[in-house]
Amino acid sequence: LVTGVQTCALPILTVKKLDQYNTSQALPGATFTLVEGSYADGSFTATENGLSLTGTTGKDGTLTFGKESGQTMKYNTVYCLTETAAPEGYVMDAA
């Protein structure tokens, strides 16, 4: 669940991982990757040497991209967010 993008000098993306059957339960330990690219004809293509970030949700189930040095995202740019590892006790959805 992507909870929001804050307005500031540079884009920030906050992800909050929740249990699908109990959305009041935040899930720490989920790993996500954010990759810069383009989207055309129904498919995403990563930009060569483009931004590629990986992070894991904290105790509150959230992960924020774009706040730290080396994580500078750009406006008017396509990014693909993918969950790459499920939290402990969960399995990845095949879809």
Side-chain angles (χ1 to χ4, degrees), residues 8-72:
C8 63
L10 296 170
I12 295 174
L13 174 68
T14 299
V15 178
K16 186 162 189 173
K17 179 69 175 174
L18 304 172
D19 184 290
Q20 71 177 358
Y21 300 110
N22 179 3
T23 56
S24 65
Q25 181 179 351
L27 300 177
T31 302
F32 289 87
T33 300
L34 183 73
V35 177
E36 179 181 345
S38 59
Y39 185 79
D41 299 324
S43 67
F44 176 81
T45 303
T47 300
E48 187 174 333
N49 298 318
L51 186 67
S52 180
L53 305 171
T54 299
T56 303
T57 56
K59 291 181 182 181
D60 63 355
T62 64
L63 167 63
T64 301
F65 290 108
K67 289 178 79 170
E68 297 179 21
S69 177
Q71 292 190 345
T72 304

Side-chain angles (χ1 to χ4, degrees), residues 17 27-32 55-57 82-94:
K17 179 69 175 174
L27 300 177
T31 302
F32 289 87
T56 303
T57 56
T82 305
E83 184 175 4
T84 53
E88 185 176 332
Y90 290 82
V91 295
M92 294 287 295
D93 184 341

